[in-house]
Amino acid sequence: PCFDPELFPLAVDYILDSGLFQDYKNRVDLVDLYGAFKLADIFSANFRPLNLNKLDISTRDVEKIIGDKLNKYRFNIQVRIANSRENVFIRAPTGWGKTSTSLLYSVGKDVSRVFILLPTVTAVNKFYEKLSRVFRGQVGFYYYMYDAYLYSKTASPFDEELLDRLRDSFFIRNFILNYINITSIDQFLLSFIQVRKYFIKRLVFRNSLIIMDEVHLLTPSMMKVFTWILKNFAKHYKLKLLIMSATFPINLMKYIVEYGSVRPYKWFDLSDGYKSLRRVIYTLEDKDIANSLQDIVSDVENGLKVLVMVNTVDKAVEIGKRLIEILGMDKVIILHSRFMFRHRVGKEDRIYSLKDTPHVLVSTQVAEVSLDISYDRLYTELASLPSLIQRFGRVNRYGKETAGLNVRIFKVYEASRRYPYSNEDLELAWEILRKYEGNHLKNEYQMIQELDSIMTYDEFVDYMERESSHMPLEEVTSRHKFFYSLDVKDDDMKKLLEYRESFTTLVLPHPDMINENYIQLRNDIEKLIDTDYRLLSEEERLIYEAKVKASLINIPYYLFLKSYDEYERKGFPIILLDNYEYDPIYGLTKVEVKIK
């Protein structure tokens, strides 16, 4: 039965219930052993040898990655950090070179693989391109949209190189082929907290180095999963950890150490570097950001690059529509999470092409990290203090000081339950910002100090527990005896996923939801739905799956639950939502979002 995918879970349950595997480590090893058998079977069936060679990374390699931006003094500090034998936590300013030099931490350490976890697919793509220039053919990347990304970047859909990479997608998504693997943070979490999957992927993390950047972006629920993984697997798997962020609250570091049972560890606080930086001067405005559109227009017309950041998709669409009406399509880009992947990639490419051209980018939180472009002005809605510090990092990014006002922060009223920030976070941020408005902000280190003093550690723990209390993690994992874990059909899971917009799912919009002006797009979606997958050749299936993924939209799970999902088939849900439509300019939006 152990070789039958359907019977193996029953066999595991029987073995565990028999009392033969009461020890937790033995339970984990039993499941991983099955994963190893499955992988061996798959390699054998594909006549594929496993050639994984450890890559010897040197300081010279890292110097090549950094290039002209290498700072010898800073590099020497980074080498000393890399020589640490403990698990490492780093707080250092934006632009310090944390991500690029983190690879040095693998030097002299006996690790089987290196995993670099980044917060967005944009960050994954850009860092892969950077490392590939130095470690050609020895580094891989993966996230769920991997094949869609390859398809969107290939001129011919049946390009032989594309097909070869798509054929290898199983091995790539399970991180088998490469010593260095760049992936998204959620892929790491899902490898341990599987949704109705066998643990084929989990075992490749044994004896590996985990480098996690921008850890502060994890929601309390994600942090609960992350610390659960560390507590239950890190020691047994002999994981080595390097966790970092430009805005790394010391309470968060302590929380990971305590609840993740991370020992031994070393904390490198290099935030003194913020003392020499004063890249922003801001003002607070007690009014809606929509009332300042004429100022935004004037800035663009005067040759400036302007970033407008709001907290919800509806607000981004409202502002974007009004600016397009005034400035035209050529000078306005709208970016948020509810675009088809192919349109999202196109928008990001366009942003980089306009890095030296006056324009306005209207975005939600998706622009807080990973976009390596510097804007002249920032108009932003009030957000939590960590988020605002990240938003500040998009302005005057490569400078050290600003000569005048370059950031305007607008108050938010009546945050709803599904709003990305709590009223408590917003009120606290507003109170702190008032202290340093205008010339009262002497340097950015003041904000880092405020970040550390927002709560006592006990208050921070209470906050984390309160914000993640809806997540039945221990109960569900115990029920499934560490073989299965969270199941999206469980009532507990549905309750969890309905909470705010932190939890999302990928869907294909029904053709009736496509804006009537985009006839070709509507026809493309209809063709995808009508295609009989069973009649396709192997190559056609690979291309078909990539095309489907390229057309998927990321939506909040609570919104998915409101849709008509009787169209679910072929492995992906097709949604039909009342009062919503999709077009490539504005994304998936409520029909009632009109120009006011």
Side-chain angles (χ1 to χ4, degrees):
C2 291
F3 294 95
D4 188 314
E6 299 298 326
L7 295 180
F8 183 76
L10 300 177
V12 170
D13 283 350
Y14 175 80
I15 292 170
L16 295 178
D17 289 339
S18 71
L20 296 176
F21 284 84
Q22 290 298 320
D23 183 74
Y24 166 74
K25 293 179 181 179
N26 288 341
R27 293 184 178 204
V28 171
D29 291 343
L30 173 66
V31 174
D32 284 359
L33 178 62
Y34 174 70
F37 274 118
K38 288 295 293 181
L39 286 176
D41 186 45
I42 292 166
F43 268 89
S44 176
N46 285 271
F47 303 100
R48 182 71 178 266
L50 175 58
N51 299 314
L52 180 65
N53 298 316
K54 181 176 179 179
L55 183 62
D56 292 324
I57 300 171
S58 67
T59 55
R60 185 177 296 274
D61 292 327
V62 177
E63 287 176 352
K64 291 178 184 178
I65 297 170
I66 299 174
D68 296 336
K69 296 181 181 179
L70 177 64
N71 179 300
K72 291 292 185 182
Y73 170 73
R74 185 184 298 159
F75 187 69
N76 289 333
I77 297 175
Q78 291 160 339
V79 170
R80 292 203 299 271
I81 293 174
N83 288 335
S84 173
R85 311 311 298 179
E86 301 92 345
N87 298 301
V88 168
F89 297 86
I90 303 174
R91 176 166 67 184
T94 303
W96 193 83
K98 299 183 298 299
T99 310
S100 296
T101 56
S102 62
L103 283 172
L104 286 175
Y105 189 69
S106 69
V107 176
K109 295 179 176 65
D110 181 22
V111 295
S112 58
R113 283 178 176 81
V114 175
F115 290 91
I116 302 171
L117 314 181
L118 300 177
T120 65
V121 297
T122 303
V124 171
N125 294 336
K126 293 299 179 184
F127 199 54
Y128 170 75
E129 293 170 4
K130 181 185 289 188
L131 291 193
S132 293
R133 291 192 289 268
V134 177
F135 306 113
R136 188 175 300 277
Q138 296 173 299
V139 58
F141 75 104
Y142 179 77
Y143 46 84
Y144 181 73
M145 290 295 187
Y146 169 80
D147 45 357
Y149 177 78
L150 296 180
Y151 177 79
S152 68
K153 291 294 185 179
T154 306
S156 171
F158 287 92
D159 177 83
E160 195 57 39
E161 182 180 353
L162 169 65
L163 288 171
D164 284 342
R165 296 179 77 173
L166 292 179
R167 291 187 191 104
D168 278 344
S169 61
F170 170 83
F171 304 102
I172 292 170
R173 72 172 177 263
N174 287 295
F175 308 117
I176 296 169
L177 300 181
N178 300 103
Y179 177 68
I180 299 177
N181 298 275
I182 309 169
T183 188
S184 56
I185 291 171
D186 65 291
Q187 285 297 314
F188 174 77
L189 301 181
L190 289 172
S191 295
F192 288 84
I193 306 296
Q194 293 283 14
V195 179
R196 292 176 289 143
K197 299 286 184 181
Y198 294 110
F199 288 117
I200 293 177
K201 186 185 294 185
R202 191 181 73 185
L203 63 93
V204 302
F205 287 94
R206 285 176 175 260
N207 196 41
S208 63
L209 166 60
I210 308 298
I211 299 171
M212 179 181 285
D213 199 8
E214 307 293 5
V215 66
H216 72 280
L217 293 177
L218 270 64
T219 64
S221 295
M222 293 173 72
M223 184 57 64
K224 186 170 187 176
V225 175
F226 181 55
T227 53
W228 181 88
I229 291 170
L230 296 184
K231 179 180 178 181
N232 288 279
F233 291 91
K235 187 175 180 179
H236 186 49
Y237 272 33
K238 298 181 181 178
L239 298 180
K240 295 176 176 61
L241 306 172
L242 191 157
I243 303 173
M244 52 194 176
S245 171
T247 53
F248 201 150
I250 193 169
N251 283 333
L252 178 58
M253 184 275 293
K254 292 178 179 178
Y255 183 88
I256 296 172
V257 168
E258 179 180 354
Y259 286 83
S261 299
V262 178
R263 298 286 192 282
Y265 75 94
K266 184 171 286 187
W267 166 245
F268 289 91
D269 185 4
L270 306 171
S271 55
D272 275 2
Y274 281 107
K275 291 180 179 178
S276 63
L277 300 176
R278 192 193 184 213
R279 292 170 291 188
V280 303
I281 296 177
Y282 64 82
T283 184
L284 300 177
E285 307 201 17
D286 191 0
K287 62 180 181 180
D288 193 296
I289 192 171
N291 295 326
S292 295
L293 295 189
Q294 192 53 54
D295 294 336
I296 296 170
V297 170
S298 297
D299 283 343
V300 175
E301 291 176 341
N302 288 328
L304 300 181
K305 300 189 300 292
V306 180
L307 174 61
V308 178
M309 294 197 68
V310 294
N311 298 335
T312 65
V313 172
D314 289 346
K315 195 71 170 183
V317 173
E318 175 197 340
I319 299 290
K321 281 185 175 181
R322 295 170 67 179
L323 288 173
I324 286 174
E325 186 179 63
I326 301 170
L327 291 170
M329 291 282 192
D330 293 341
K331 292 189 176 181
V332 181
I333 306 171
I334 302 172
L335 184 66
H336 55 72
S337 59
R338 298 183 201 168
F339 281 99
M340 289 184 182
F341 182 78
R342 52 175 162 165
H343 297 145
R344 169 80 176 266
V345 170
K347 285 175 178 289
E348 291 176 353
D349 288 343
R350 186 178 167 214
I351 290 169
Y352 284 107
S353 72
L354 295 175
K355 64 180 182 179
D356 299 317
T357 304
H359 70 278
V360 56
L361 169 62
V362 183
S363 177
T364 57
Q365 297 89 320
V366 297
E368 285 184 10
V369 294
S370 76
L371 287 180
D372 190 13
I373 181 172
S374 180
Y375 283 87
D376 302 307
R377 293 280 171 83
L378 169 65
Y379 292 73
T380 176
E381 285 190 307
L382 181 66
S384 67
L385 191 60
S387 290
L388 285 171
I389 293 174
Q390 288 294 129
R391 295 181 187 190
F392 292 167
R394 308 298 113 189
V395 183
N396 191 22
R397 185 170 174 80
Y398 311 117
K400 285 195 171 183
E401 192 167 349
T402 180
L405 180 73
N406 58 0
V407 175
R408 294 170 65 179
I409 303 171
F410 297 82
K411 199 164 187 178
V412 172
Y413 306 92
E414 298 181 6
S416 66
R417 182 175 71 89
R418 291 197 177 102
Y419 205 73
Y421 310 105
S422 67
N423 283 307
E424 179 185 8
D425 287 341
L426 296 176
E427 291 168 3
L428 184 59
W430 187 263
E431 180 181 340
I432 291 172
L433 290 168
R434 288 176 61 186
K435 294 165 58 176
Y436 301 103
E437 186 176 7
N439 290 324
H440 291 97
L441 183 66
K442 303 303 179 184
N443 58 60
E444 295 177 25
Y445 184 67
Q446 292 173 297
M447 284 295 175
I448 298 299
Q449 288 181 305
E450 290 288 352
L451 198 61
D452 282 343
S453 63
I454 286 177
M455 300 179 186
T456 66
Y457 178 64
D458 288 341
E459 289 172 338
F460 180 80
V461 170
D462 289 342
Y463 165 79
M464 295 294 285
E465 292 302 306
R466 185 170 65 250
E467 289 294 302
S468 62
S469 61
H470 59 285
M471 190 167 193
L473 186 60
E474 293 287 352
E475 175 190 341
V476 176
T477 52
S478 175
R479 184 167 72 244
H480 290 295
K481 301 184 177 70
F482 302 98
F483 186 78
Y484 287 118
S485 189
L486 305 179
D487 188 327
V488 294
K489 293 184 178 179
D490 288 348
D491 290 338
D492 287 340
M493 190 52 151
K494 288 185 177 181
K495 180 180 178 183
L496 178 151
L497 294 171
E498 286 183 299
Y499 186 78
R500 291 190 178 167
E501 297 201 9
S502 300
F503 297 93
T504 59
T505 188
L506 289 161
V507 300
L508 188 70
H510 188 277
D512 289 347
M513 291 181 64
I514 306 298
N515 185 292
E516 60 186 12
N517 295 322
Y518 296 92
I519 298 174
Q520 184 58 55
L521 179 59
R522 180 177 288 211
N523 291 339
D524 289 346
I525 301 300
E526 287 180 345
K527 187 174 181 180
L528 288 175
I529 294 173
D530 292 339
T531 297
D532 191 338
Y533 185 83
R534 297 167 298 179
L535 301 179
L536 301 179
S537 66
E538 179 188 359
E539 287 79 11
E540 289 172 334
R541 286 187 180 189
L542 292 172
I543 297 300
Y544 172 77
E545 290 170 357
K547 290 172 68 174
V548 168
K549 281 190 178 182
S551 301
L552 297 178
I553 304 172
N554 201 30
I555 68 169
Y557 199 81
Y558 74 83
L559 196 58
F560 169 70
L561 294 177
K562 293 180 180 179
S563 69
Y564 303 111
D565 60 351
E566 65 265 25
Y567 298 98
E568 186 171 351
R569 50 185 168 172
K570 302 176 184 175
F572 55 88
I574 304 168
I575 65 160
L576 184 59
L577 280 165
D578 288 334
N579 302 320
Y580 278 82
E581 71 173 16
Y582 180 86
D583 75 51
I585 305 299
Y586 304 112
L588 182 68
T589 61
K590 290 181 180 179
V591 177
E592 61 262 31
V593 177
K594 302 291 185 181
I595 300 173
K596 297 180 180 179

